[in-house]
Amino acid sequence: MASVLLQHVSKQFGSSNYAVHDVNLDIEDKEFLVLLGPSGCGKTTTLRMVAGLEEVSEGRIVIGGQDVTNVPPKDRDIAMVFQNYALYPHMTVYENMSFGLKLRKMPKTEIDKRVKEAAEILGLSPYLARRPKELSGGQRQRVALGRAIVREPKAFLMDEPLSNLDAKLRTQTRVELKRLHQRLGATIIYVTHDQTEAMTMGTRIVVMRDGVVQQVDTPDGIYHRPANQFVGTFVGTPAMNLLSAELSRQGTEFIAHLGDQTLSLPTQLTGPLESLIEPQVTLGVRPEDVHLVRADASDSLKAVVRLVEAMGHEQLVYLSLGSRDIVARTDNDWTGKSGDAVGITFDMARLHLFDPVSEESLLR
Ligand SMILES: Nc1ncnc2c1ncn2[C@@H]1O[C@H](COP(=O)(O)OP(=O)(O)O)[C@@H](O)[C@H]1O
Ligand SMILES: [Mg+2]
């Protein structure tokens, strides 16, 4: 396995805007790096440039210490797994997995050893003689993975490999992939638009938007210390609440005005707020950091319940806070209903603050 380095990598198709712009990534050996972002943000293009299937317009790609920017795909020693894992329908599982090695003229005994090992790892040993149509969707996806594993490449590149599977199988395969990563000690670059896949599998996550990297961080860092409003709201369901507020000062304290209600901000936020020129700020509060209390509780904001969604293990409570909408996540035994007047408080240690113009976090 090997490290993968992208230096100032950009891609422009024809004379259109940049599909990928100035991407810098230092992917360590054995890392499971996830590229996350909405459709069209440049994830596939980035992966295809690493594979050599797409030429870079600018920049450099280094795999395992070797500059491969101008090396053809077949000589880069990487394996790709796509969403559409086209298996050869007339070949058995064994033949599908061994086909690439045969083309490379690898000795039969070595091919046999690798295919059987991969089949064992993937739980495919009983199915080696079957053809793709005699397999479930999940088993077919594992054959596609097997085909990549037997090559023992320097790195695996995976482009939304689970998106054709149904929800249950996707969860199951997600766990399997993570285990596979631990077992192979492989370098994996994994593309997805699914935040759950990114959060559960990635050792680090790269959040992209319009071809530009927004943040590279651990799942924990992405969730708890988002670099900007886009990252803050892209990860987390329901999305982080955003509340525009106006600030005023009372002595050493900052007060946020939300309509005619006020909220004193904790003193640890004073530093970042000092640098603000305009008094406007956007508060970011995740639904689990909004707490429901009695309507007359002191130091609470006054809100009205609009809708309650029971989710089984928790409830989502949609509220009006003056003219602002806000959603709270609460446990099962909360018994309010729509129309109720309630108080809400925020977990102030987990409050996010964004510049309303640049949308950058003020806390970094
Ligand atoms: N071959 C191509 N020719 C022109 N534009 C392309 C081509 N491939 C991708 N694009 C454009 O590049 C941008 C990024 O696409 P892509 O990397 O496929 O995004 P993602 O995988 O994140 O959905 C999109 O605007 C897309 O339309
Ligand atoms: Mg894509």
Side-chain angles (χ1 to χ4, degrees):
M1 287 293 149
S3 61
V4 179
L5 199 64
L6 280 75
Q7 289 179 327
H8 301 291
V9 170
S10 295
K11 180 69 187 182
Q12 232 177 336
F13 290 101
S15 57
S16 53
N17 288 342
Y18 281 104
V20 172
H21 191 243
D22 197 24
V23 169
N24 291 287
L25 292 173
D26 189 349
I27 304 155
E28 286 166 36
D29 187 24
K30 299 189 172 57
E31 187 165 17
F32 196 131
L33 187 92
V34 178
L35 302 182
L36 173 69
S39 177
C41 74
K43 307 179 296 292
T44 294
T45 304
T46 304
L47 206 65
R48 287 173 58 84
M49 286 191 287
V50 176
L53 299 171
E54 207 74 76
E55 259 181 58
V56 306
S57 305
E58 289 150 46
R60 211 162 88 89
I61 296 172
V62 180
I63 300 176
Q66 188 203 351
D67 188 330
V68 297
T69 316
N70 298 308
V71 171
K74 65 177 177 41
D75 299 327
R76 291 195 185 192
D77 200 8
I78 45 96
M80 226 167 146
V81 183
F82 300 95
Q83 175 182 347
N84 298 312
Y85 40 88
L87 301 176
Y88 298 106
H90 59 288
M91 290 187 189
T92 63
V93 169
Y94 187 99
E95 287 161 346
N96 264 288
M97 281 166 68
S98 58
F99 185 66
L101 303 182
K102 244 167 97 181
L103 282 185
R104 277 155 212 262
K105 307 213 165 26
M106 186 178 280
K108 266 207 169 103
T109 50
E110 176 65 18
I111 294 180
D112 192 62
K113 180 172 152 275
R114 289 196 185 187
V115 170
K116 285 183 175 152
E117 259 175 30
E120 194 57 43
I121 289 172
L122 294 165
L124 288 171
S125 302
Y127 310 112
L128 284 172
R130 289 200 194 174
R131 286 176 214 288
K133 68 172 192 310
E134 301 162 320
L135 299 174
S136 70
Q139 289 165 338
R140 277 182 224 158
Q141 182 55 276
R142 275 186 271 154
V143 177
L145 279 172
R147 213 164 39 179
I149 290 173
V150 294
R151 298 208 12 225
E152 300 183 359
K154 286 204 179 108
F156 292 94
L157 309 181
M158 304 189 183
D159 193 355
E160 315 240 8
L162 307 186
S163 49
N164 279 351
L165 306 178
D166 65 42
K168 189 168 168 223
L169 201 53
R170 205 156 55 219
T171 310
Q172 192 186 325
T173 314
R174 205 169 72 202
V175 176
E176 281 173 11
L177 255 184
K178 191 162 173 161
R179 217 179 281 144
L180 186 69
H181 171 245
Q182 288 164 354
R183 181 152 177 191
L184 294 176
T187 309
I188 298 179
I189 310 179
Y190 186 101
V191 162
T192 183
H193 64 275
D194 182 312
Q195 50 158 314
T196 311
E197 284 180 19
M199 292 295 284
T200 53
M201 292 197 287
T203 44
R204 283 191 304 164
I205 299 173
V206 179
V207 181
M208 291 182 73
R209 176 195 200 182
D210 298 338
V212 178
V213 171
Q214 306 291 301
Q215 186 170 359
V216 184
D217 213 326
T218 59
D220 190 68
I222 295 283
Y223 195 77
H224 292 294
R225 294 174 297 281
N228 58 36
Q229 217 167 281
F230 177 80
V231 175
T233 50
F234 190 76
V235 176
T237 329
M240 177 189 282
N241 295 291
L242 296 175
L243 304 166
S244 59
E246 187 146 323
L247 298 177
S248 70
R249 264 192 112 130
Q250 272 180 16
T252 56
E253 227 183 359
F254 279 95
I255 312 287
H257 298 258
L258 296 152
D260 54 6
Q261 303 198 60
T262 59
L263 184 70
S264 339
L265 299 179
T267 47
Q268 69 264 27
L269 298 179
T270 310
L273 293 177
E274 295 285 0
S275 60
L276 271 184
I277 298 162
E278 300 289 335
Q280 272 79 27
V281 69
T282 303
L283 307 181
V285 197
R286 293 205 181 275
E288 61 269 32
D289 301 327
V290 179
H291 303 301
L292 301 169
V293 295
R294 284 203 332 269
D296 57 1
S298 61
D299 289 333
S300 70
L301 297 164
K302 309 305 165 212
V304 177
V305 177
R306 293 297 172 203
L307 183 78
V308 182
E309 256 181 0
M311 312 283 287
H313 62 299
E314 64 180 20
Q315 304 180 78
L316 298 176
V317 183
Y318 296 85
L319 305 135
S320 303
L321 177 68
S323 62
R324 292 161 174 79
D325 293 327
I326 187 165
V327 52
R329 166 176 276 139
T330 185
D331 52 23
N332 247 335
D333 45 23
W334 185 80
T335 54
K337 56 184 189 315
S338 49
D340 285 358
V342 295
I344 57 177
T345 62
F346 300 151
D347 186 340
M348 297 304 261
R350 290 171 178 262
L351 193 68
H352 302 270
L353 290 177
F354 302 104
D355 183 309
V357 179
S358 69
E359 300 191 353
E360 294 298 311
S361 171
L362 297 166
L363 304 182
R364 291 164 62 93

